[in-house]
Amino acid sequence: MSQFYVLEKELYRGNVTFKIKALKPDGSVIWEGITTGESKRWGRSFSEGNFYECIGNSFIEAIYGLLKDESFIKSF
């Protein structure tokens, strides 16, 4: 499962959700879970740069949340 989008109304609102599966070389699962990230951004209407910054920041937040997840940390 993965999902990512940006809505433009008063603000650019980005959201990403994706499933992560960490595997051993033999293919067995070490850890499996879902992480999400969100961001908000002011900007000009229909600006490609604002869109990419918003979705990029959402991905960064999702990865940051994953790296803070206790169950993810303890699985290694």
Side-chain angles (χ1 to χ4, degrees):
M1 167 183 64
S2 62
Q3 165 181 302
F4 54 97
Y5 62 89
V6 173
L7 297 176
E8 182 193 3
K9 292 190 179 181
E10 300 84 35
L11 296 170
Y12 285 84
R13 295 179 183 271
N15 183 293
V16 299
T17 301
F18 50 96
K19 186 174 184 179
I20 301 288
K21 187 183 287 189
L23 305 173
K24 292 182 180 179
D26 66 6
S28 60
V29 176
I30 298 171
W31 185 87
E32 188 173 1
I34 295 173
T35 187
T36 62
E38 296 180 340
S39 71
K40 297 177 193 169
R41 173 164 183 38
W42 287 100
R44 284 188 341 200
S45 183
F46 300 111
S47 166
E48 186 176 318
N50 289 334
F51 172 86
Y52 284 120
E53 184 171 344
C54 188
I55 200 72
N57 288 344
S58 297
F59 271 97
I60 290 168
E61 286 298 315
I63 297 300
Y64 182 67
L66 174 67
L67 296 175
K68 291 188 329 181
D69 185 294
E70 288 288 325
S71 67
F72 179 74
I73 293 166
K74 290 178 181 178
S75 68
F76 294 92

